[in-house]
Amino acid sequence: MQEPLRNLKELRAVLIDLKQDRTTYIKSQDVLEAYDKLCAVLHMIDDTKVDVSSNLDYGRVQEDCFELISLLFLTIGRNNEPPAMYVDHEEVKINYNLRECEIFRGNYLIYRKRLLDHLGESGNYSSKDLVPINLRLKKLGSIIKSNSSSWDPLYIAKLDAKLLECINSLATLQDELNRISPGLQSLHAKLVSLRRCIKAAEAKQKFSIPEVKANIEEIKKLEATKINGKFVADDGTFPDEGQEQVQMLVKRCYSMGEEAMKRQGEIAPSLKSLSDKLFKINSKLERLELTQAWSLRETDLYEIQAELVEIDVNRLDGKFIGIDQSSPEEGQSILLYLLRRSYAHIYTLMGSSEPVSEALTPIYNQLQTVQRCLKEVQKFGIHDARELYPYSMKLASIDDMKIDGKFMVGNDVPDGQARVAALLAECFEICRDLRNNEC
């Protein structure tokens, strides 16, 4: 037992050093070697038949290794290969934005399970949330199955086990929704959205009374549609299935609105340090969303994710614990919203990760900028071909960087060649179309 644990800790240290090294880009060879080492440890454990399921230290270190390797696969642009998908097994992405709160439709599995648990805990979800999750899980299962022969069977077994956990958690949530008539699902979804928006307004650093009042008014309008004490379905009928659940959700919305107006964003002093930490994490993630194309390395999210998980697992009976070991009510809902919103930012960042190696990212980013500019020019056309001169010069300079048709970095051929080449070709094509349609 000690040897595989020691090997895993050594591998984790190597992976952390690899992700922190900013003096050079992360190379595919280094990541694949780390993957092979992890597989070797898995086989060592399997051969010795040692039961590691009850060893918390082992489980934590193994999860760290799986997550880091998965993030490194994203960094080298191999997004659609099974190891990269491990970070899609743990949590389902709920996008807790201020205006709209929908499931984020990204690809990464570690982040699915945890937020599925959060959905179940809150009880505040609709069919709009679960449908895209179901589709994504099916797609992930298909990708893992079609690529399984090319990867270590024990590694694939680990992914399959995580995928099954997500599928089972999703089925439990879906069973609850199935108790609501299809005709009442849209009304239910509107109430879910309003409840989340009240949470979002409450969690702002400057509480907005008009915003909460506006949400409460919307709830009143929906409740006023009842006829003889029953909500009307989309087809004009009054189904019994789901009336109780929808009415209960209305009451919860009112209760949440009243609590928000009463506390007006108040957070208990013992929870202040925790709230400051979560606000800081949110701000950092929001900045990364603005600058990610130029400054984000996917592995940067590892430390932030670890901070959030630590905060999450330290809750007691679902409550955050203050510095005095108490769990005051003031601020609990705000902290929970901030925690989930932080998760959502991470998923947004990961979902926008392109299958392009870190080494090619600067070129890819430049091409994306040229593409956006050319598409704007397309809206109005050109009067003179010389208007395209700066774009043509930039594209030509990028094209000249290729050696034997490939973008090279030293002696390496980084992953993502096809994506970069396709974007370059698209930009050239837009330029040609503009010239041919010159006013």
Side-chain angles (χ1 to χ4, degrees):
M1 178 63 198
Q2 291 303 315
E3 185 177 357
L5 180 58
R6 182 173 63 254
N7 291 346
L8 280 175
K9 287 183 176 179
E10 290 174 356
L11 177 58
R12 181 176 63 178
V14 170
L15 292 170
I16 290 174
D17 288 342
L18 186 61
K19 80 175 187 64
Q20 290 178 339
D21 184 5
R22 291 282 184 170
T23 61
T24 184
Y25 69 90
I26 294 174
K27 299 177 178 63
S28 297
Q29 181 181 351
D30 295 334
V31 178
L32 291 172
E33 286 177 359
Y35 163 80
D36 289 337
K37 289 178 182 177
L38 178 56
C39 291
V41 177
L42 295 178
H43 281 278
M44 181 188 301
I45 295 167
D46 188 61
D47 291 341
T48 57
K49 308 299 181 185
V50 175
D51 181 15
V52 297
S53 59
S54 60
N55 189 306
L56 296 179
D57 194 23
Y58 169 84
R60 185 179 66 254
V61 178
Q62 180 182 255
E63 289 294 315
D64 286 346
C65 290
F66 269 90
E67 183 175 351
L68 282 164
I69 286 176
S70 189
L71 290 168
L72 287 166
F73 264 80
L74 293 177
T75 303
I76 62 175
R78 302 179 73 161
N79 299 38
N80 295 318
E81 297 184 18
M85 294 177 187
Y86 186 78
V87 286
D88 201 338
H89 277 82
E90 296 259 328
E91 310 180 23
V92 176
K93 308 165 189 61
I94 298 184
N95 196 354
Y96 280 88
N97 289 327
L98 290 178
R99 291 183 301 171
E100 191 57 50
C101 308
E102 298 178 349
I103 293 294
F104 178 75
R105 304 181 187 189
N107 242 355
Y108 310 101
L109 255 176
I110 104 183
Y111 305 135
R112 289 191 179 273
K113 183 61 173 67
R114 190 169 293 117
L115 273 178
L116 271 171
D117 294 340
H118 273 287
L119 274 179
E121 179 186 355
S122 69
N124 194 50
Y125 57 91
S126 69
S127 56
K128 288 183 178 180
D129 299 327
L130 301 191
V131 168
I133 299 174
N134 185 41
L135 293 174
R136 179 57 59 188
L137 290 177
K138 287 181 179 179
K139 181 177 179 181
L140 289 170
S142 176
I143 292 172
I144 293 170
K145 183 178 180 180
S146 62
N147 289 277
S148 60
S149 61
S150 303
W151 300 91
D152 187 278
L154 290 180
Y155 201 99
I156 294 297
K158 178 77 171 177
L159 290 179
D160 284 336
K162 287 289 184 181
L163 180 61
L164 183 60
E165 287 179 20
C166 293
I167 291 171
N168 290 338
S169 295
L170 178 62
T172 300
L173 298 180
Q174 188 62 58
D175 286 344
E176 289 297 315
L177 276 187
N178 289 342
R179 297 167 58 195
I180 301 173
S181 168
L184 293 176
Q185 292 283 353
S186 60
L187 175 61
H188 179 264
K190 290 176 184 176
L191 289 167
V192 166
S193 180
L194 286 168
R195 186 182 174 196
R196 288 175 177 168
C197 290
I198 291 173
K199 282 292 183 188
E202 186 183 19
K204 286 183 177 180
Q205 288 186 301
K206 185 175 181 181
F207 184 79
S208 172
I209 294 177
E211 188 173 346
V212 176
K213 283 184 175 180
N215 289 320
I216 293 174
E217 286 302 313
E218 288 297 317
I219 296 166
K220 289 180 179 178
K221 289 178 183 177
L222 292 176
E223 188 181 27
T225 62
K226 287 195 296 184
I227 297 177
N228 296 327
K230 284 192 171 185
F231 288 102
V232 184
D234 294 336
D235 59 2
T237 61
F238 302 89
D240 291 328
E241 299 85 358
Q243 292 286 343
E244 182 181 347
Q245 288 89 340
V246 174
Q247 186 58 57
M248 182 62 69
L249 183 54
V250 169
K251 290 180 180 178
R252 287 176 180 170
C253 287
Y254 279 135
S255 175
M256 187 171 291
E258 290 170 3
E259 285 297 311
M261 292 296 292
K262 177 182 177 181
R263 293 188 174 135
Q264 298 192 10
E266 179 187 359
I267 298 174
S270 64
L271 295 175
K272 194 67 171 61
S273 61
L274 194 53
S275 69
D276 288 344
K277 187 175 185 179
L278 284 169
F279 274 119
K280 185 177 179 180
I281 290 173
N282 265 277
S283 296
K284 183 177 181 178
L285 290 168
E286 286 169 359
R287 288 195 300 272
L288 279 174
E289 283 190 29
L290 295 174
T291 62
Q292 61 164 335
W294 303 97
S295 62
L296 178 69
R297 174 184 273 186
E298 283 81 357
T299 51
D300 293 340
L301 300 174
Y302 173 74
E303 281 87 0
I304 300 175
Q305 170 73 11
E307 282 188 89
L308 294 175
V309 171
E310 183 181 4
I311 292 171
D312 201 358
V313 300
N314 284 334
R315 290 191 293 150
L316 185 62
D317 297 327
K319 300 287 187 180
F320 294 94
I321 307 301
I323 55 175
D324 59 357
Q325 302 305 307
S326 66
S327 54
E329 284 299 322
E330 296 84 357
Q332 290 286 340
S333 61
I334 295 174
L335 295 184
L336 189 56
Y337 174 85
L338 290 172
L339 176 65
R340 291 170 176 168
R341 190 177 175 200
S342 295
Y343 282 139
H345 283 307
I346 290 178
Y347 313 144
T348 301
L349 288 164
M350 293 184 64
S352 57
S353 174
E354 295 284 354
V356 174
S357 169
E358 178 187 36
L360 293 183
T361 298
I363 297 173
Y364 189 75
N365 289 341
Q366 292 175 52
L367 286 171
Q368 282 189 311
T369 302
V370 174
Q371 179 200 45
R372 284 193 292 268
C373 292
L374 287 172
K375 286 187 173 181
E376 285 299 312
V377 173
Q378 263 188 322
K379 294 177 181 178
F380 307 101
I382 60 171
H383 296 283
D384 191 321
R386 286 177 294 183
E387 294 176 35
L388 295 175
Y389 180 75
Y391 306 112
S392 298
M393 285 290 292
K394 184 62 180 176
L395 293 174
S397 69
I398 292 175
D399 195 36
D400 288 343
M401 295 170 66
K402 291 190 289 187
I403 299 174
D404 296 329
K406 295 181 179 179
F407 292 98
M408 306 285 291
V409 179
N411 295 322
D412 297 324
V413 182
D415 288 289
Q417 297 284 332
R419 181 62 66 96
V420 175
L423 185 54
L424 177 60
E426 182 184 347
C427 290
F428 274 127
E429 185 65 29
I430 295 173
C431 283
R432 280 192 291 270
D433 289 344
L434 286 166
R435 288 192 187 94
N436 292 337
N437 297 316
E438 182 181 338
C439 297

